[in-house]
Amino acid sequence: MNDRVSISDVAALAKVSIATVSRVINNTGYPVSKDAQERILKAVKELNYSPSFAAQRLRRDFNPVIGLIVRDIANSFFGEIAKGATERAMERGYLSFVCNTGRDAKNEVEFHELLWKNRVRGILMIGGGIDSLEYQKMMEKQIQRSERFGLRIVVNAPQGVPFPMVSVDLEKISTEMTHYLLNKGHTSIALITGEQGVFTSRSHFKGYADALQSYGIKVDMDLVRLEAFTERCGYTACIDMLKHEPKPTAICCGCDPIAVGVLHALSEANLRVPEDISVISIGDTPIANHLRPALTSVHVPRYDMGARAVDLILSESMEKEHIEFLPYRFIERESVQAIR
């Protein structure tokens, strides 16, 4: 390479900005017109300019910042993960940016681009990935950036593509939660969890179905609702499910907010918990102990999940196949009752 040839020379010959040249030669994924790309590549060839130095610089030119992409910061489950991540980042001398997507895939794509442009050291994705073509393409692009430039990305739930992950075994939790009810004599067990297109929801359904089938019980889809991880959807899904005869004797909820909505719906229907219907959930967020009846829930170490993810981002080496499941435990309270 001719050391006297700079990126500004390429920009001048191609009649574009230096930023546009950088986007093309570093394959950042930022949209550049086909005509401009062709002019830039032609100029690179004519000037014998090698982008390798630029790529090497990108690998080491990160800001001491970690970006958190959160699907719903108002959800206390996600909020506690974010708290663990931000506090651990501060301990390690890093600033954190928290980006709330509102469960909108387009917002998430934009946040990924903004964080990339700001040269963050790593990104922690909080919440399950979405099974859509646009989302999966964006995830593949992030994997390419990670491999080429060293951008560190860690997730706390399945995304549909192989990112390093610090999580709990969601499928196993769902299986054990359903077994817990089966062992108490329940055979008509419902499931209310998040959207069908979210990989977390699929893990919940898979564990639930496997547990029922292990007892020789066929999955009744009238007792399954894949809605959203919100109190409102827990309420509306439960109201709709109560039209089913016979009614379930127990309901598995994908998160504590869903369980709150379920308890409201059952109360309005004059059904007692746990005497008429038992309720169990995943999360063990602070509200679980303050509900009446207090909610039996699977405790997930949310703070540790966030802190450990930051440690992984800042580790000396990080393999993309890294999967780390943290321990969880059942917290038995008052919302589940054995039946004959």
Side-chain angles (χ1 to χ4, degrees):
M1 182 185 80
N2 185 345
D3 292 334
R4 290 172 294 180
V5 176
S6 69
I7 193 172
S8 60
D9 297 322
V10 176
L13 183 58
K15 298 181 180 179
V16 296
S17 68
I18 293 175
T20 302
V21 174
S22 177
R23 289 164 184 161
V24 171
I25 65 176
N26 293 314
N27 192 26
T28 65
Y30 192 91
V32 176
S33 71
K34 185 177 179 180
D35 177 65
Q37 289 185 49
E38 290 175 351
R39 295 201 311 272
I40 291 167
L41 294 175
K42 183 179 179 182
V44 166
K45 187 174 181 180
E46 289 182 10
L47 295 172
N48 194 30
Y49 175 79
S50 172
S52 59
F53 177 76
Q56 291 168 7
R57 182 182 178 189
L58 277 170
R59 290 192 183 97
R60 64 174 182 266
D61 191 20
F62 290 106
N63 290 318
V65 177
I66 294 176
L68 278 62
I69 295 181
V70 187
R71 273 56 190 260
D72 182 4
I73 195 64
N75 185 315
S76 58
F77 186 96
F78 294 152
E80 188 72 8
I81 297 173
K83 180 180 180 183
T86 55
E87 291 186 358
R88 179 57 57 84
M90 183 172 61
E91 291 173 5
R92 302 287 298 270
Y94 279 70
L95 181 67
S96 300
F97 286 158
V98 179
C99 308
N100 181 45
T101 71
R103 301 183 187 276
D104 187 317
K106 291 183 179 179
N107 287 345
E108 185 163 333
V109 170
E110 291 192 16
F111 281 133
H112 273 284
E113 294 301 326
L114 287 170
L115 290 171
W116 167 252
K117 290 175 190 175
N118 282 278
R119 304 298 300 142
V120 299
R121 183 65 192 92
I123 296 173
L124 170 58
M125 295 166 57
I126 301 177
I130 304 166
D131 187 12
S132 72
L133 183 60
E134 178 188 22
Y135 184 86
Q136 292 302 308
K137 283 184 176 179
M138 186 267 289
M139 290 292 99
E140 292 290 349
K141 182 187 296 183
Q142 290 298 77
I143 287 178
Q144 292 171 8
R145 287 173 175 170
S146 177
E147 292 177 346
R148 185 174 183 188
F149 302 118
L151 173 66
R152 297 286 185 84
I153 302 175
V154 173
V155 302
N156 87 302
Q159 305 296 315
V161 291
F163 284 116
M165 181 167 70
V166 178
S167 184
V168 289
D169 192 331
L170 297 169
E171 186 176 319
K172 185 178 179 182
I173 285 177
S174 187
T175 298
E176 292 186 3
M177 186 166 66
T178 309
H179 274 147
Y180 175 82
L181 296 171
L182 289 163
N183 291 335
K184 288 186 175 292
H186 296 274
T187 55
S188 181
I189 301 172
L191 172 69
I192 302 176
T193 188
E195 298 91 327
Q196 185 173 358
V198 175
F199 289 101
T200 300
S201 306
R202 293 184 179 181
S203 296
H204 291 166
F205 177 76
K206 178 70 164 52
Y208 161 82
D210 286 350
L212 291 179
Q213 290 166 4
S214 72
Y215 272 64
I217 300 173
K218 184 179 179 181
V219 175
D220 182 353
M221 293 307 295
D222 286 334
L223 295 179
V224 175
R225 296 292 185 278
L226 303 177
E227 301 285 344
F229 292 99
T230 65
E231 180 178 338
R232 176 177 178 80
C233 285
Y235 173 85
T236 57
C238 185
I239 290 293
D240 183 57
M241 188 178 291
L242 292 177
K243 300 172 184 176
H244 181 273
E245 292 294 343
K247 294 179 177 62
T249 62
I251 301 175
C252 293
C253 302
C255 66
D256 290 349
I258 289 176
V260 171
V262 166
L263 291 176
H264 287 171
L266 294 175
S267 177
E268 286 189 5
N270 294 317
L271 292 169
R272 299 167 300 165
V273 178
E275 292 84 357
D276 297 319
I277 297 182
S278 293
V279 178
I280 189 171
S281 180
I282 299 174
D284 188 38
T285 53
I287 195 172
N289 196 40
H290 298 291
L291 295 169
R292 291 295 175 267
L295 183 64
T296 294
S297 187
V298 179
H299 177 80
V300 175
R302 304 174 300 280
Y303 185 97
D304 292 344
M305 196 183 295
R308 176 60 192 138
V310 169
D311 286 338
L312 186 58
I313 288 172
L314 300 180
S315 63
E316 290 296 324
S317 61
M318 184 181 73
E319 298 179 356
K320 68 177 182 180
E321 297 84 5
H322 183 99
I323 297 178
E324 182 177 344
F325 287 142
L326 301 183
Y328 57 87
R329 66 183 189 275
F330 278 73
I331 306 297
E332 294 186 282
R333 295 192 178 96
E334 304 162 1
S335 63
V336 174
Q337 178 174 283
I339 62 174
R340 294 179 181 178

